[in-house]
Amino acid sequence: LVKVVKRMAEEGKVAVRSVRHKVREKLKALEKESKVSQDESHLGQEKMEKLTHQYLEEIDTVLEGKEKEILEV
């Protein structure tokens, strides 16, 4: 069961990273089309990076709790 939980957590992390990558590409495209400034693009990327780290940490926290819960039983 622990392996299944770890795999699910890794899939969650991959999904979060995928969203980050798509947002980064979209921001660069908008910057290239001059729809957002370079500063706005950079700020958006920084915010996305912070959110990504926040959610990855949350996934790790939940994973640790579930591992402990499974191993106790």
Side-chain angles (χ1 to χ4, degrees):
L1 283 175
V2 172
K3 286 184 182 181
V4 173
V5 173
K6 284 185 178 182
R7 184 182 40 135
M8 290 173 71
E10 188 57 37
E11 288 172 0
K13 288 180 179 183
V14 169
V16 170
R17 290 183 192 121
S18 176
V19 170
R20 175 184 60 187
H21 181 71
K22 288 177 184 178
V23 168
R24 189 177 288 162
E25 286 180 348
K26 184 68 174 173
L27 284 170
K28 286 182 181 181
L30 289 172
E31 183 182 340
K32 199 172 202 177
E33 296 170 6
S34 299
K35 292 188 178 182
V36 296
S37 70
Q38 190 175 18
D39 289 340
E40 290 171 326
S41 175
H42 184 68
L43 182 62
Q45 288 181 32
E46 284 180 357
K47 286 182 179 180
M48 190 66 214
E49 195 65 33
K50 287 179 184 178
L51 283 172
T52 300
H53 286 295
Q54 176 185 340
Y55 284 111
L56 291 178
E57 287 176 8
E58 190 173 326
I59 289 171
D60 285 336
T61 302
V62 171
L63 173 62
E64 288 176 22
K66 285 295 176 185
E67 283 179 335
K68 288 178 183 177
E69 183 180 324
I70 290 169
L71 294 175
E72 283 179 4
V73 175

